[in-house]
Every structure is written in structure tokens, then in C-alpha cells.
Amino acid sequence: MRNILLASTLFFAAQTPFTAAMAQTADPAILTPERVFSDPALAGPVAKGVSLSPDGELVAFLRSREDDVDVQDLWAAPTGEGEAFKLIDARALVPDAGELSEAEKARRERMRISARGVVEYSWDEQGRYILAPLEGDVFLAEREGGAVRRLTETEADEIDAKVSPDGNFVSWVRDQDLVVYDLASGRESAVTTDGEGLITWATAEFIAQEEMDRDTGYWWSPDERYIALQRTDESTVDVIPRLDITGGGATVVEQRYPRAGRPNAVVELYVHDRQSGRRTRVDLGTNTDIYLARVNWSADGRTLYVQRQSRDQKTLDLLSVDPATGASKVIVTQRSDAWVPLSHDFKALDDGNFIWSSEESGWKHLYLYDRDGRRLRAITSGEWPVKSLNGVNQETGDVFFTASMRDGRELPIEQQLFRTSLREDMPPVAVTPAGGWWSASVNRTGTAFVGNYSDLNTPSQSGLYRADGTFIRWIEENRLDEDHPYFPYASRRGEVTFGTLDSHGETLVWQMTTPPGFDPSRTYPVIMQVYGGPSGGGVKKSWQSATNQLLTEAGYIVFRLDNRGEGDRSAAFKQALYLKMGQPEVEDQVLGINYLRSLPFVEDDRIAAMGWSYGGFMTLHMLTEPKMNLAAAAVGAPVTDWSLYDTHYTERFMSTPEANPEGYAASDAVPQLDQLTGRMLLMHGMADDNVILENSTRVIDAMEAASHPFELMLYPGQRHGVRGNERQLHQWRMYLDFLDRTIGSRSPAAQD
């Protein structure tokens, strides 16, 4: 087993004491679902999408309105003296927001954007403008003077709008074609004109948006001469008819959905030359059944770098492309016997070299390459993974990255910003303090960063810092004082403890939250919160969600375990589930429940699980695993048959149904439903275009055919998540009622 800064199965971190002011609260309020799902938000004033202007003199961020948490405005604050000010007031510019187009709804669903108003924005590289799409139209805020200019007012939605690097143009996609707007003349010009039906220009296809973390389909060159843009042909993709059911009726949507083992869309890449007007096709090779993973420009705009991933995802090639001719050559190749992960760690440097990450050592680390792809040196190394490349100061050679590591050892429950050198070997230096969870946005020059921080006692805070970590000013301090919306409920937070378990030589981390007034001489019911699938992991020393407190207020211990396959850990840890999803993850959750049952304060027969999406898949398998013997499970939007899910995600971990029939069969939850150990609540959105409702109807049909009682709640008009305060309030009332009747005070076990 690798060294790790955790002690197996022991508590090694606990919530720090409440402040004196909280401890002296005479009559602490009990948190209710009605308060959690109302305005103002309990999280307080949290800055979202924070970024520094290119010159480092202004910070922009999104802030929810106090009168409607679901609507965001764009704010800015000087990095020196001066107060934050509202730059774009969404309600003032668009008082009556209309219905978004289906394409924009789908794009926002892929990006997990549920808010309205200003949901994204971008700077030009000179820092003169901020571009903000707003309710389907495009607005441009001028840095000097703060004037806001409306660029479009059309019936069609303009999506994925960008300011060109030098700030001379604005571009967007409208009706499946790319349009460029000249800011000086105010004239539009169409880059493409044949986007219609199944042909789309400059837009990331479904798979790229949903599974590859690529939300755009076009890229400006730094000198504004070229635009690289993709062309997508969906005619090869199967039509999967699905009912989009709302409260007002049902619509049949002929969705192009590439299921595992079936054809993907055909994606091509072109370069548009603004000087000549010529469009040149990029040579991506003779095999069209590939993924266009990432596209980047060199700093001088003379080379286009393209990451091409094989269909089986075991090979990732970096192509160097001549934008004038489209000619390409492979300069670096990464390979794996399981899969090669994608990242956003590619960084082209001014001297022609570039930084790129790789997991070839078994851990994700950063490497320096010359322009021809020859590796020059390792920038980071060790038995811990780099989470992300955050920035580079090319003058000093400083490289900034985030990692969950302390003293050279992996520490999954914390995250910090670190600094190392581009030019010489040096151990990483922590830029931010240990003890919580940091994320950071470093400015282009690597001289400052916006740091976002939280821990068990600190709600999310945003501040501006120098590159050495010196604090400059708050963006949103979000102090948990008497004026904070959460303050009345703070003293009733449960104690959070952390620990580890060993599984097949891997160290699993867990966290446990106990109810207010916890008495270890009594026994309590437990809720196992689970996701379980490939993700960033859920066990961390950060601010806990208000919904967790709803569970502890109801008298439950809340337990979460990051099983193998979950979390940004080693390649071996993540690849444990390869070709057998639903097996090692459940094995690890069995370890978790056995540990719980070894504790004297846990009620053995009153343990339930709850999870959504992959967590729904997991809770189904946990509820049908005899070794777990769960009393109940709340199952949300589950994948029940991986052959019904999409190509890039499913084939990465499971290969195709034809190549891995045993793995697919073992992961199918429906044949196992006769082994249910407890009661089930099944939930799903009736317009889900990601985990299609058919996944749940398979369960419904099998349960009814076998005359097994269960509870069902469907949400008309909701996609893969339940959105809005009213419906989320209903969802959590359902959760709490179901849990109370199965493992809580109204359960049969509690009456014995």
C-alpha cells in the first residue's frame, strides 16, 4: 500500500469548534426544507465565475440577485481600492426573459447551468471589453466608462459568443452557423452558411459537451487571422425517440443519441482564413471514427495543436497543424491499456515550447515539451496527482497547479494551490494554506490569482492574492456572522469526522456527520450518501451542503465513502472499475457499511442509501446486494443498462457491449431486483435527455411485473436534475418523508 497521510479506519480530522458568538446563540433555529429552498440563498454572497482582467486591475464575477437566487448579474471590482459594482443588470436589460431555444437549453444542461440572466462572460485579451450573452442575445460592456452595448436583438439565440483576442470582433453561433461581428463598423459577416438540419458549424457535439468537458466548437488564433471551427454531421447517429413530458402535455423528441457501441457523429475540423476568406480542412487522419478532444493555438498563431482521441480512448495523439494548409503530424502520443484521460492542462508558451500533463507514471503530472513534441523535462513528480494546471509566469518560470497533497504525500480530502519551476527541479511550494479546499484562477501573466476557499466552518470565500499567496482584497468575504443568512442555523451543524478504510491495497477516504446533540451511548439510523462513479470525489474538508443538515436535523448520521474509481487519485485507483462498473464500487461500499455496523452508536437495521445519476446506479446495486442488507434506498435518475448510455463515457470504462458482454450483463440492475433487501423510492425527470427515462421505466416494469411494492416520483419537464426552489423543496420533502417511514422515527424498526 502506498504511503498516505491518513490513519486507516481512525478519525484523523474533525470540525473545529464553533465561534463564541455561535456557541452563545440563545435559541438556535432548526433548519427546514422550506428555508433551504427559498431566497436569499443560505450559502450567502458567493461569487461565481470569477476572473481577472488581462491587466490584473479588475475582477469580474457573477452574483445571484437577492430577490431571485436563480437570476445572476455581472459584477466587477477594482483590484486596488474601491467597492464592487454591478456591470450588467440582467433584469434591467432583459426584463421579460423569454423561452430559450432547444439548442441553448441543451447546451446549458450539458454545462450544468440552471441559472438565468448572465450565466457566462468573457474578456478580450486586451481587457477592454467583457462580453456577456444574456437570454439569447449578446451584450458588450466597455471597461472604460462601463457602458453596455447591445449587439443583437433577434428571434434566434446567439450562443457561445466570444470576443476576439485583440478585441476587434465578436463571434457567435446562430442557427447552426458561425457569425463574426465587426465592432468598428457594426457589420455582421457569416463565416458559414450551410448549417441546417443535421449539419452544425462551430458547436461542440453532444458527446463533447456532456462527456469531454468541451463546450465550444471554434477557436480564434491569437492574431485574429484564423478561426478553427468544427463541422458536425449527425446523420450517422441513431435516432432515439423519447417523450419530453411536461405538465402541459408530451412531445416526441427524435433525439440523436449515440449509445454505447453505436455510431458517433462525424466531426471535421477546418481553419477559416479571415484574410483570404478560404476555408481549409485539417487532416485528422483517414479514420473518421475518432474524437476531436481539444484544440489550442500556439502563442504566435502559426501552429494549431489538436488532441485526437481514438474511439476506444486508449490512444491520445497531439497533432501539430499548419493552419494555412491543414497538413498535420503527430508529435506526442499517450497510451493506456485502460483509457487515456482528457484534461485542460495544455499550455502553449511564448518561446514555442508547451506544457502538457500525462498519467504515464501512474500519477497525473506536468511535463515540458519543445515545439516538435520532444519531452524536455518533468515539471512535477511524486505519488500524488496534479489536479489542474492553473497558470504560468513565463518571466520567472513559475508554474502554478492545484493538488491534494501535503509534504509530498497524497491527501485527498484537502486541496491547495502550489508553485514549482518551469526551468529547474524544485519541490512544490504551497502558495495557499492547508486545512481546507482551494481552487484558483491565475491571471495570464502569473502574477496574481483569484482564490476560492472553504472549509468545514467557512462558506465559500473569494479573494484576490499575489502570486506568493499574499492577500490583497476580498471579492466576496462571505463572513459567517450575524448578518449571514445561514447564521441562525450554524450552531446546530453536526460534527464532521474523517477516516480511511483499506480495499485491495488502496486507501479509501470517508466522512461522517452526526446529528446535533449526538450522544455516542445511543444508537442512530444512518444514510449513506453515494455517487461512486468516476468524478472528483465527494469526501473533502469543505463547506457542507445545507441538505446534509436537513438529514442530520432529522436525526440521521450521514456517511459518505469515496470508493475505488471515484476521485482524482492514481491511475490504478481510478481504473479499478475498468470493464466492471458496479462491482468494485459496491465491494467498497460493503466495506463501508460493515465499518458502520461495527460502531456501537449505529442502528444496524436502519441504514439507507441515496444517490443521483451514477449514484442512482449505485443505490440500486447496493439495495440488491445481500451483503449490504440496506433497509431502504432513494434512487435518482439511475443508469440501469449501460448499453442505453452514451459512447464516450460508457466505452471509456466498459468498452462496447459487443466486446464486453459479461461486464454489461453484470452491471444491469434489473435482473437483480428480486434481491431487494429494503424499500425503494425511484425518482426521474420526465424530460431527461442524458440518462433517458427508459432507464427507470425498465425498473418500473420489472417491479410491477414481479408485484414488488415501491415508491415512484416523476418530475414533468425536468431534465437530468431537478431545478428551481419549488420542485427541489418537493423533492426533499419526498426524501425526508420516505426516510422517516423506512429508517426514521416512523419506521417499523423504530417502533420495535
Side-chain angles (χ1 to χ4, degrees), residues 337-353:
D337 292 335
W339 70 85
V340 179
L342 302 179
S343 74
H344 294 286
D345 298 330
F346 184 91
K347 171 68 175 177
L349 304 175
D350 293 341
D351 61 6
N353 295 335

Side-chain angles (χ1 to χ4, degrees), residues 15 18 22 28-37 42-43 456-457 459 480 484-496 511-517 527 529 543-559 610 732 736 739:
Q15 179 170 303
F18 298 122
M22 293 177 193
I30 296 176
L31 190 62
T32 65
E34 291 73 21
R35 178 60 193 92
V36 171
F37 300 108
L42 285 174
L456 294 172
N457 287 308
L480 187 56
H484 196 282
Y486 180 73
F487 184 81
Y489 315 98
S491 64
R492 288 184 59 82
R493 288 179 299 167
E495 184 180 42
V496 182
Q511 69 181 57
M512 181 186 297
T513 310
T514 51
I527 294 170
Q529 287 190 329
W543 185 249
Q544 304 295 296
S545 69
T547 53
N548 257 25
Q549 189 164 338
L550 291 180
L551 298 173
T552 55
E553 286 285 14
Y556 304 112
I557 291 173
V558 179
F559 181 82
M610 60 188 301
W732 273 88
L736 292 169
L739 293 168

Side-chain angles (χ1 to χ4, degrees), residues 485-745:
Y486 180 73
F487 184 81
Y489 315 98
S491 64
R492 288 184 59 82
R493 288 179 299 167
E495 184 180 42
V496 182
T497 51
F498 296 83
T500 66
L501 295 171
D502 181 75
S503 175
H504 297 269
E506 298 286 357
T507 301
L508 315 178
V509 293
W510 57 257
Q511 69 181 57
M512 181 186 297
T513 310
T514 51
F518 174 71
D519 180 354
S521 68
R522 293 177 49 204
T523 58
Y524 295 82
V526 178
I527 294 170
M528 300 179 72
Q529 287 190 329
V530 63
Y531 181 74
S535 72
V539 177
K540 56 184 68 170
K541 292 174 75 172
S542 63
W543 185 249
Q544 304 295 296
S545 69
T547 53
N548 257 25
Q549 189 164 338
L550 291 180
L551 298 173
T552 55
E553 286 285 14
Y556 304 112
I557 291 173
V558 179
F559 181 82
R560 176 151 189 165
L561 170 76
D562 284 354
N563 48 247
R564 284 171 294 159
E566 183 175 10
D568 292 324
R569 306 283 298 276
S570 70
F573 190 94
K574 293 184 290 185
Q575 292 170 8
L577 51 64
Y578 184 56
L579 301 180
K580 50 187 178 181
M581 290 200 298
Q583 298 177 55
E585 311 99 289
V586 176
E587 279 183 38
D588 290 349
Q589 295 298 332
V590 169
L591 285 177
I593 203 168
N594 288 342
Y595 172 69
L596 287 170
R597 289 189 170 123
S598 74
L599 301 174
F601 50 81
V602 168
E603 191 77 35
D604 287 9
D605 58 351
R606 296 168 68 192
I607 302 177
M610 60 188 301
W612 198 271
S613 193
Y614 201 106
F617 166 77
M618 285 289 293
T619 50
L620 264 181
H621 280 274
M622 291 162 67
L623 191 59
T624 57
E625 171 52 64
K627 293 178 182 177
M628 296 209 70
N629 196 28
L630 287 174
V635 180
V639 175
T640 61
D641 178 353
W642 285 106
S643 68
L644 300 178
Y645 202 58
D646 67 49
T647 51
H648 193 272
Y649 185 92
T650 308
E651 293 173 13
R652 184 188 325 157
F653 310 118
M654 292 286 284
S655 186
T656 64
E658 294 75 22
N660 182 25
E662 297 85 2
Y664 276 79
S667 68
D668 189 343
V670 170
Q672 304 173 37
L673 291 175
D674 283 339
Q675 299 177 180
L676 284 171
T677 62
R679 297 294 297 236
M680 177 175 66
L681 168 63
L682 178 63
M683 293 181 167
H684 212 124
M686 299 182 80
D688 196 331
D689 60 350
N690 180 8
V691 179
I692 293 171
L693 185 59
E694 181 182 348
N695 284 275
S696 281
T697 57
R698 296 179 71 244
V699 176
I700 296 168
D701 181 64
M703 292 289 284
E704 291 175 349
S707 301
H708 291 315
F710 70 104
E711 298 180 39
L712 175 67
M713 182 51 60
L714 300 176
Y715 287 93
Q718 299 300 293
R719 300 204 177 200
H720 194 47
V722 177
R723 313 291 189 191
N725 276 339
E726 294 80 6
R727 280 184 171 80
Q728 289 183 82
L729 173 58
H730 177 274
Q731 180 185 27
W732 273 88
R733 283 173 169 168
M734 284 293 304
Y735 279 144
L736 292 169
D737 178 70
F738 172 75
L739 293 168
D740 191 22
R741 288 184 286 105
T742 53
I743 65 168
S745 61

